[in-house]
Amino acid sequence: MAQERTGAATFKGNPLTLLGPELKIGDQAPDFKLQKNLLEAATLQDFAGKVKLISVVPSLDTGVCDAQTRRFNQEADSLGDQVVVLTVSVDLPFAQARWCGAAGIDRVLTLSDYKDHSFGEAYGVFIKEFHLDHRAIFVIDQNDKIAYVEYLSEMSEHPDYDQAIAAVKKLV
């Protein structure tokens, strides 16, 4: 059973319960199984040897999530080939693909946590009340150690984009 962190975050001031541990800088990044599409999964090992910027959003079809994904897509151009930028949400894979096509997203890989929520629970972002993943940013180095983490205290706020990008640039 996943650890419950009651009141670890809020949505419009209302307390939320996050399932899973609160990861810290220096922790080994947990493995995950996320869906690329309905038949094909991705794991942490698929990105071995690369710096990973993982942007977690509740749903791409909301304003802040849309802006967050677009911002990291724009930033991805300047990060180089040793960096992979992933956006994780519980949106279905075909909804993610539709959104990316409509938004012109071509540098960020969207992955879905809809099936078994393994990412959400392993990274401590699964919202018990909504069955969505809470907004967070993780930067993981080439050896799968967490180099930067930001759990947003309020789900509707933007992350610190500049800090996340600076953390990535320190590793490449």
Side-chain angles (χ1 to χ4, degrees):
M1 179 172 235
Q3 172 188 355
E4 288 193 12
R5 297 176 7 251
T6 305
T10 59
F11 176 60
K12 297 187 177 182
N14 297 305
L16 298 174
T17 303
L18 300 182
L19 299 184
E22 183 176 347
L23 301 176
K24 309 262 190 260
I25 292 172
D27 286 350
Q28 186 69 30
D31 199 7
F32 53 76
K33 183 178 178 186
L34 293 164
Q35 296 304 125
K36 291 181 182 180
N37 54 50
L38 291 178
L39 300 175
E40 188 179 1
T43 67
L44 185 63
Q45 286 306 305
D46 291 334
F47 310 104
K50 293 202 178 257
V51 172
K52 293 150 287 285
L53 188 159
I54 303 176
S55 171
V56 185
V57 300
S59 175
L60 292 168
D61 286 319
T62 66
V64 177
C65 300
D66 176 291
Q68 182 173 327
T69 305
R70 288 176 190 267
R71 172 73 184 268
F72 285 126
N73 187 69
Q74 178 185 349
E75 296 283 355
D77 279 335
S78 68
L79 299 177
D81 293 339
Q82 290 304 308
V83 177
V84 61
V85 181
L86 309 174
T87 291
V88 174
S89 75
V90 295
D91 296 307
L92 293 173
F94 51 82
Q96 290 178 333
R98 174 197 45 79
W99 183 89
C100 286
I105 301 299
D106 58 358
R107 297 278 304 167
V108 167
L109 176 61
T110 55
L111 298 170
S112 178
D113 198 22
Y114 88 94
K115 200 168 192 177
D116 60 15
H117 309 294
S118 78
F119 181 93
E121 290 186 15
Y123 283 73
V125 295
F126 185 71
I127 304 168
K128 182 178 180 180
E129 293 83 356
F130 299 147
H131 288 237
L132 297 171
D133 287 344
H134 186 68
R135 189 175 319 286
I137 305 293
F138 300 93
V139 175
I140 301 170
D141 73 13
Q142 298 91 330
N143 299 309
D144 294 336
K145 294 275 190 202
I146 296 176
Y148 175 84
V149 63
E150 179 183 10
Y151 289 97
L152 277 287
S153 57
E154 168 57 45
M155 189 162 97
S156 62
E157 293 179 355
H158 286 269
D160 189 331
Y161 301 109
D162 294 336
Q163 287 283 77
I165 296 302
V168 169
K169 289 183 176 181
K170 284 182 189 174
L171 298 172
V172 291

